[in-house]
Amino acid sequence: MAKLGFFGGAVSSREGRRAGRRGSSDEGKKKPLPFSVIVRDARELVVARRGRLAVGLALLLVNRMAGLVLPGTTKFLLDEVIGKG
């Protein structure tokens, strides 16, 4: 049973095996997609999932900022508490 692929085309797990049996015909070779088509498809994917991407970016920034807490507290401990003591 075929399902929709990454760019909307039908994908089958058996399709690759059948293509290998045909031999080295030029008809089976695919042309590379133009860059504009790839950019358009990528833009569609990003626009469709922009909410999730925004949440992921926000969580990434929180993670990075939280990673600076431990070095900051260590600096404060060494400079202000131990250094003055």
Side-chain angles (χ1 to χ4, degrees):
M1 180 178 219
K3 59 183 178 178
L4 287 181
F6 189 67
F7 292 107
V11 175
S12 173
S13 60
R14 297 181 186 187
E15 193 172 336
R17 287 184 245 153
R18 288 185 196 149
R21 293 181 193 161
R22 290 183 190 153
S24 61
S25 65
D26 291 336
E27 296 174 5
K29 293 183 181 178
K30 292 184 178 180
K31 293 180 182 177
L33 293 172
F35 185 70
S36 61
V37 172
I38 295 171
V39 169
R40 185 181 66 227
D41 287 343
R43 183 179 296 131
E44 288 175 9
L45 289 171
V46 169
V47 167
R49 292 159 181 85
R50 65 179 175 246
R52 285 186 177 190
L53 289 171
V55 169
L57 182 62
L59 290 174
L60 180 79
L61 291 173
V62 167
N63 183 6
R64 294 298 175 177
M65 297 308 276
L68 295 175
V69 170
L70 186 60
T73 55
T74 305
K75 181 183 181 311
F76 175 77
L77 177 70
L78 293 174
D79 292 346
E80 300 294 326
V81 177
I82 297 177
K84 288 185 178 180

